[in-house]
Amino acid sequence: MQKIRFYRNKPILIIFLLLIGLCAWYFLFSGKSDNQKVSYSEFYESVNQNEVIKAELAENKIIYELKDGTKLETQNPSSPSLKEFLLLHDVEIHQQADSSQIISTIFDVIFYLFFFGIIIIAFRKFISPNTFKVVHKTGVKFENIVGMENIKKDMVQIVKMMQNPSEYAKKGMRLPKGILLEGAPGNGKTLFAKALAGEAKINFIPAKATDFESMFMAIGPMKVKLLFRKARKKAPCIVFIDEFDGIGTVRNYSGSAIETENTRIVTALLNELDGFEKTDGVLVIAATNSIKALDPALIRPGRFDAKLTVPYPDFEARKELIQLYTKGKNPAPECTQEKLAKMFENFSCAKIETVLNRASLIANQQERTEFTLSDVTKAMQEA
């Protein structure tokens, strides 16, 4: 890990060392000279006699060349009339940058390298091509989902359409551009999306609302474009956006920075959804707790053609879930599936699992091998 980090930072380290070396060279060697030193009056007289053909003006010295090729050095009085005096005697002038200018330039270079380096690092972090991972095998099938048979039937049809798009196109039917899953948290919306990708044996790209949030303006819309660009390259695939109401809310033109960014993200989503062709093989699935919170333009037919409600598990589904979640646990004989299923009415799948796990922990804390109905009741109160 340390080697990888070193190689990534190697260019920056080399530039930094070069700048330090440049500074050291300037201060150690730039002041040294092998030229013979003479007085300023001697230099002045040589110029008056038109013997000087070239002069190099440094911060504290003047290096000049005579007609016979001799190079001499004298002090620079920094007189404002010196240049005019030399030009009137046809002396070729070269001006050296002083140390303050060189130091200022070096610090300017360091500042710009640091500034643009920070920007590049920030952009690589926030809009890196690896922001959205492609899952090739979700490992979930419809058989892993308990109950909800009506939604499964709709999903099975969509799987068939994704596997045989040309066959359905002959019948005048097209694959929905988007599916909107609405339901309370913990009822399996994400599981449904994974199961659909698993059944269709296609790529799956998960995302959530927080993936599009950033401290920098315009990063959110860029991430939307990055997500759908990757989806097109990995087609056929499913793009799953969780917590959709976190970025797809009704647009507000109040002028605040937050609302402006949200409006841009929604607009980017609209453009990407409208940009898909029938043959793109990309299906967007969005999960939300409330359709009413979403922008009407975003969820109109033609963008999200199918709207499915993921309900709380019914009585029979709750019995199956209880059987699944009590594996490896020791419920008391009084904890029958029927009794527990009645107790768990209007419970989400996740809450049922949490309550049964907590009831088992309560019994274990009291050094009992089986959990009872009273343990379940206590766990329900804590959940």
Side-chain angles (χ1 to χ4, degrees):
M1 198 72 178
Q2 290 179 347
K3 287 183 179 180
I4 294 173
R5 195 171 296 171
F6 171 78
Y7 283 117
R8 284 180 178 175
N9 297 330
K10 195 173 181 180
I12 298 174
L13 181 63
I14 290 172
I15 293 171
F16 183 71
L17 291 174
L18 284 173
L19 288 171
I20 292 176
L22 183 63
C23 291
W25 175 85
Y26 177 80
F27 287 110
L28 291 174
F29 301 106
S30 64
K32 294 184 178 181
S33 173
D34 296 328
N35 299 317
Q36 181 184 349
K37 294 179 176 59
V38 298
S39 65
Y40 182 75
S41 59
E42 185 176 337
F43 163 71
Y44 192 90
E45 184 64 28
S46 297
V47 175
N48 263 331
Q49 293 178 6
N50 295 319
E51 293 178 354
V52 179
I53 60 171
K54 188 185 299 183
E56 186 174 341
L57 305 181
E59 185 178 7
N60 298 314
K61 62 185 177 182
I62 302 172
I63 300 172
Y64 63 97
E65 184 178 342
L66 302 178
K67 288 181 178 179
D68 61 4
T70 305
K71 285 189 177 182
L72 302 171
E73 182 180 323
T74 188
Q75 290 183 330
N76 187 349
S78 300
S79 170
S81 61
L82 177 61
K83 280 188 178 180
E84 182 181 5
F85 171 67
L86 294 173
L87 290 171
L88 287 173
H89 289 81
D90 298 324
V91 177
E92 183 183 340
I93 300 173
H94 296 278
Q95 183 78 47
Q96 276 189 8
D98 58 32
S99 59
S100 61
Q101 289 177 323
I102 293 174
I103 293 171
S104 176
T105 302
I106 290 172
F107 276 102
D108 284 344
V109 170
I110 292 173
F111 170 77
Y112 285 115
L113 284 173
F114 179 78
F115 178 75
F116 286 110
I118 291 294
I119 291 177
I120 291 169
I121 291 169
F123 269 81
R124 285 185 65 182
K125 180 179 179 181
F126 288 110
I127 57 170
S128 168
N130 297 322
T131 301
F132 302 103
K133 302 292 184 181
V134 179
V135 180
H136 300 291
K137 292 182 180 180
T138 62
V140 181
K141 298 289 185 70
F142 288 148
E143 63 189 32
N144 302 121
I145 300 175
V146 174
M148 306 181 192
E149 299 302 325
N150 291 333
I151 299 179
K152 284 183 184 179
K153 289 179 182 178
D154 292 330
M155 291 287 191
V156 167
Q157 187 179 26
I158 291 170
V159 169
K160 291 179 179 178
M161 292 182 72
M162 294 188 78
Q163 292 175 334
N164 303 290
S166 57
E167 182 181 334
Y168 283 86
K170 292 177 183 177
K171 300 176 183 178
M173 293 182 284
R174 64 169 176 80
L175 182 71
K177 289 184 179 179
I179 299 173
L180 197 60
L181 298 177
E182 182 188 27
N187 273 339
K189 297 186 290 294
T190 303
L191 193 65
F192 266 113
K194 288 182 178 180
L196 180 57
E199 290 286 345
K201 298 179 181 178
I202 58 175
N203 294 321
F204 181 75
I205 306 179
K208 54 186 180 297
T210 52
D211 290 334
F212 302 95
E213 295 175 355
S214 173
M215 61 186 292
F216 298 105
M217 292 291 288
I219 293 293
M222 291 178 70
K223 284 187 174 182
V224 171
K225 293 178 181 178
L226 175 66
L227 170 63
F228 284 96
R229 191 183 302 123
K230 178 174 282 191
R232 291 188 184 98
K233 289 180 180 179
K234 299 297 181 179
C237 82
I238 289 175
V239 172
F240 175 68
I241 305 176
D242 200 6
E243 305 164 2
F244 195 51
D245 42 294
I247 57 170
T249 51
V250 178
R251 284 170 287 181
N252 187 332
Y253 299 95
S254 64
S256 68
I258 295 175
E259 293 298 341
T260 300
E261 182 71 354
N262 179 72
T263 299
R264 289 173 177 171
I265 291 174
V266 173
T267 303
L269 284 167
L270 292 173
N271 293 336
E272 293 299 334
L273 289 168
D274 282 338
F276 284 151
E277 301 293 335
K278 295 178 183 178
T279 55
D280 272 345
V282 177
L283 175 65
V284 183
I285 301 180
T288 178
N289 299 329
S290 175
I291 289 181
K292 294 180 181 178
L294 299 175
D295 192 288
L298 195 58
I299 59 174
R300 70 161 173 79
R303 291 191 176 115
F304 285 93
D305 302 292
K307 298 179 179 65
L308 304 176
T309 300
V310 181
Y312 287 109
D314 57 21
F315 183 77
E316 292 300 321
R318 292 198 296 273
K319 286 171 61 178
E320 290 185 50
L321 288 169
I322 290 163
Q323 182 180 2
L324 175 66
Y325 294 143
T326 52
K327 285 181 179 178
K329 299 180 177 64
N330 293 316
E334 62 179 0
C335 296
T336 63
Q337 292 180 10
E338 288 75 12
K339 285 183 181 179
L340 292 175
K342 289 178 182 179
M343 294 173 70
F344 294 156
E345 188 174 359
N346 292 327
F347 275 35
S348 68
C349 305
K351 190 171 182 179
I352 291 172
E353 192 276 334
T354 299
V355 168
L356 290 173
N357 188 63
R358 180 58 186 159
S360 182
L361 287 172
I362 291 171
N364 185 66
Q365 288 172 357
Q366 298 177 7
E367 298 182 351
R368 289 184 283 110
T369 57
E370 298 178 338
F371 66 85
T372 63
L373 287 177
S374 62
D375 296 327
V376 175
T377 303
K378 186 176 180 181
M380 288 170 60
Q381 294 171 350
E382 294 178 0

